[in-house]
Amino acid sequence: MKISVSIVEDDAQVRASLARLIDSSTSCRCVSRHGSAENALQEIPGVKPDVALMDINLPGINGVECVRRLKPLLPATQIIMLTVYQNTENIFNALAAGATGYLLKQTPPDELITAIQEVHAGGSPMSSHIARKIVQSFQQAPPLSPEAQSLTPREVEVLNLLAKGFLYKEIADKMGISYETVHTYIRRIYEKLQVRTRTEAVAKFLRR
């Protein structure tokens, strides 16, 4: 079954271009298109797409706020921010709101389709420039919060790999541990950071 995708983008030409790209792929299909956050908030909950592509700079309600309102209604829908903006604050705000990926609009078409497949499979796709900014911010970050200080070195290692977009299986392979052990680590991380999702954990840790 093809991955169902909704597009939230105020530029009609870009919106149509993205829809054509998605429908031309063998793995995805565009199920709805929205020119504003207001329209998306009204219609997407009824569509229930697997993945949503979300622009940040929307008229009226912006993309980050749209994600914040949509995510509680559609917890299973994975949201990729697709934007021209790559400043760190926008990235963290989008992740904290519930986005799972963050790509620049100039991302090549084949990479965008791969990103949709990846986020649907449990990954967190990000453009290389975005990933570099997150790593730089992490390296320059202030001391850990009390919650983060309670993490063990191995839990911090797992969280670092989560922040870089690794899948659970990839984390297990990289650390030489079992898939079940990764789940155990992540459950403990969620408890210590007092969060419920991967994106909340990463955002809270990186914004320390």
Side-chain angles (χ1 to χ4, degrees), residues 46-79:
V47 179
K48 296 182 175 61
D50 297 317
V51 177
L53 299 180
M54 179 77 62
D55 185 21
I56 281 186
N57 191 28
L58 295 169
I61 298 172
N62 66 37
V64 172
E65 182 59 27
C66 185
V67 172
R68 199 185 317 279
R69 298 187 192 184
L70 268 182
K71 198 60 182 174
L73 302 175
L74 297 169
T77 297
Q78 302 305 313
I79 302 174

Side-chain angles (χ1 to χ4, degrees), residues 92-183:
F92 289 151
N93 286 343
L95 293 175
T100 319
Y102 198 108
L103 299 175
L104 298 179
K105 283 188 175 179
Q106 58 263 42
T107 299
D110 57 335
E111 290 184 19
L112 178 57
I113 295 300
T114 299
I116 292 172
Q117 296 168 337
E118 182 182 340
V119 78
H120 184 58
S124 296
M126 293 191 187
S127 299
S128 57
H129 289 87
I130 302 299
R132 190 175 300 118
K133 278 187 171 291
I134 288 179
V135 171
Q136 288 171 347
S137 176
F138 172 74
Q139 291 169 342
Q140 298 165 3
L144 293 173
S145 65
E147 296 97 334
Q149 285 178 2
S150 67
L151 298 175
T152 67
R154 291 292 267 178
E155 288 167 350
V156 170
E157 187 178 353
V158 169
L159 197 44
N160 272 326
L161 293 173
L162 276 181
K164 293 175 182 176
F166 282 81
L167 303 177
Y168 290 2
K169 183 179 184 304
E170 293 171 335
I171 293 174
D173 293 342
K174 196 169 185 66
M175 295 180 64
I177 56 180
S178 70
Y179 185 86
E180 290 72 23
T181 302
V182 172
H183 268 280

Side-chain angles (χ1 to χ4, degrees), residues 84-104:
V84 295
Y85 301 103
Q86 55 177 315
N87 71 64
T88 308
E89 184 178 359
N90 273 336
I91 299 166
F92 289 151
N93 286 343
L95 293 175
T100 319
Y102 198 108
L103 299 175
L104 298 179

Side-chain angles (χ1 to χ4, degrees), residues 1-19:
M1 184 178 295
K2 290 189 175 184
I3 301 167
S4 58
V5 182
S6 288
I7 300 167
V8 187
E9 163 63 56
D10 64 310
D11 187 311
Q13 190 172 351
V14 174
R15 197 163 62 241
S17 177
L18 287 171

